[in-house]
């Protein structure tokens, strides 16, 4: 772990079935280099032994991408071990164990904001806020209608010192994916923190008239039997 590291991020794809929801599972740990896991004995929280992410991972027969960011100040300048711990009980026969793929580990000396949240949404605006890092007042915000996380270098992002910050120019009734990171220096930025925003509908003016000749601005929320449809209805 590089000296000066504040946070680390572990990305991996995983698949884990097993028997039941609490019988067979895997967990992810960061432990000191001199700690050696023992077969048949589960790792326990201890000095510089950190469990990452969920208490246990299981119940998926297809791959899922996982991203875990954690405080790594205790490990700065040291070697550590990343441990994937598979646990199987003695019932249900042999179970298909966990599969791990596409592992990536990164370190940052700049700490990301926390508690990234929506304060208010309107038809074309969304106000967001966060808990800033002490002594850091500059942040970068990126948003898109596509849920593809930005990389280290992006275009079209917003640099701001305002918190809360109001994002403008949005489209009403649309899902946006928003990310924020701390700007500690020109070439020193934190990991991105994600947020999902659903903009509201612009209130209609009175009097309101609708001739249903255009696309309109309507949502269709139909129950299982009787339905509203666009075009020609079938049966009732």
């Amino acid at each position: 772990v590089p000296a000066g590291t504040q946070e680390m991020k572990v990305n991996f794809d995983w698949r884990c079935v097993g028997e039941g929801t609490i019988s067979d599972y895997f967990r992810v740990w960061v432990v000191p280099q001199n700690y050696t896991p023992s077969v048949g004995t589960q790792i326990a929280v201890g000095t510089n032994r950190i469990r990452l992410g969920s208490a246990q991972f299981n119940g998926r027969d297809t791959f899922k991408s996982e991203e875990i960011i954690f405080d790594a100040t205790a490990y700065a300048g040291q070697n550590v071990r990343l441990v994937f711990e598979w646990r199987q009980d003695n019932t249900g026969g042999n179970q298909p164990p966990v599969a791990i793929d596409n592992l990536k580990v990164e370190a940052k000396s700049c700490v990301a904001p926390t508690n990234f949240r929506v304060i208010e949404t309107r038809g074309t605006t969304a106000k967001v806020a966060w808990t800033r890092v002490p002594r850091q007042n500059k942040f970068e915000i990126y948003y898109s209608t596509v849920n593809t996380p930005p990389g280290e270098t992006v275009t079209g992002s917003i640099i701001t010192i305002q918190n809360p910050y109001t994002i403008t120019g949005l489209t009403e009734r649309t899902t946006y994916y928003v990310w924020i990171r701390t700007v500690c220096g020109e070439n020193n930025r934190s990991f991105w923190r994600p947020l999902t925003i659903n903009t509201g509908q612009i209130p209609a003016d009175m009097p309101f008239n609708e001739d249903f000749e255009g696309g309109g601005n309507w949502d269709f929320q139909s129950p299982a039997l009787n339905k509203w449809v666009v075009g020609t209805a079938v049966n009732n």
Side-chain angles (χ1 to χ4, degrees):
V1 180
T5 293
Q6 296 285 312
E7 288 188 326
M8 294 186 69
K9 180 171 69 173
V10 177
N11 286 95
F12 59 91
D13 297 336
W14 67 273
R15 181 176 63 187
C16 181
V17 184
E19 170 249 337
T21 58
I22 60 173
S23 300
D24 307 322
Y25 54 83
F26 80 95
R27 300 187 297 182
V28 186
W29 297 84
V30 173
V31 301
Q33 184 181 20
N34 60 4
Y35 177 85
T36 301
S38 176
V39 175
T41 301
Q42 288 191 280
I43 301 173
V45 174
T47 303
N48 288 344
R49 295 199 297 267
I50 301 176
R51 187 176 63 213
L52 304 184
S54 300
Q56 55 200 38
F57 296 87
N58 69 349
R60 288 192 64 89
D61 58 2
T62 58
F63 274 104
K64 178 185 178 182
S65 181
E66 200 73 30
E67 177 179 286
I68 304 170
I69 298 175
F70 63 97
D71 183 350
T73 53
Y75 301 121
Q78 305 176 37
N79 292 330
V80 297
R81 289 181 170 180
L82 177 65
V83 182
F84 291 88
E85 177 192 54
W86 162 247
R87 187 256 191 192
Q88 178 180 322
D89 67 358
N90 293 322
T91 63
N94 293 327
Q95 301 297 327
V98 59
I100 303 295
D101 201 2
N102 300 321
L103 174 64
K104 182 178 182 180
V105 182
E106 300 175 82
K108 293 280 190 180
S109 61
C110 184
V111 180
T114 59
N115 194 26
F116 190 30
R117 62 198 185 276
V118 180
I119 299 297
E120 179 185 61
T121 59
R122 296 183 180 274
T124 58
T125 64
K127 182 183 290 186
V128 296
W130 56 92
T131 301
R132 69 179 182 86
V133 181
R135 299 181 298 277
Q136 298 297 335
N137 297 303
K138 185 182 291 187
F139 303 91
E140 184 175 11
I141 297 173
Y142 178 83
Y143 64 91
S144 173
T145 56
V146 180
N147 190 15
T148 301
E152 285 296 312
T153 59
V154 296
T155 58
S157 62
I158 302 163
I159 304 295
T160 183
I161 60 173
Q162 298 178 25
N163 180 15
Y165 180 82
T166 299
I167 304 172
T168 61
L170 305 178
T171 302
E172 63 172 319
R173 302 189 312 116
T174 302
T175 298
Y176 284 90
Y177 304 95
V178 188
W179 294 267
I180 189 172
R181 64 180 176 180
T182 306
V183 179
C184 296
E186 186 62 31
N187 297 309
N188 185 16
R189 307 193 179 195
S190 72
F191 294 118
W192 292 101
R193 296 280 190 184
L195 180 67
T196 301
I197 294 175
N198 295 297
T199 56
Q201 186 174 15
I202 298 175
D205 294 324
M206 291 294 193
F208 174 74
N209 297 289
E210 174 63 85
D211 59 10
F212 295 102
E213 296 301 322
N217 197 21
W218 296 84
D219 285 324
F220 292 89
Q221 298 183 8
S222 298
L225 298 177
N226 299 313
K227 300 180 180 181
W228 289 97
V229 299
V230 178
T232 303
V234 178
N235 296 328
N236 298 332

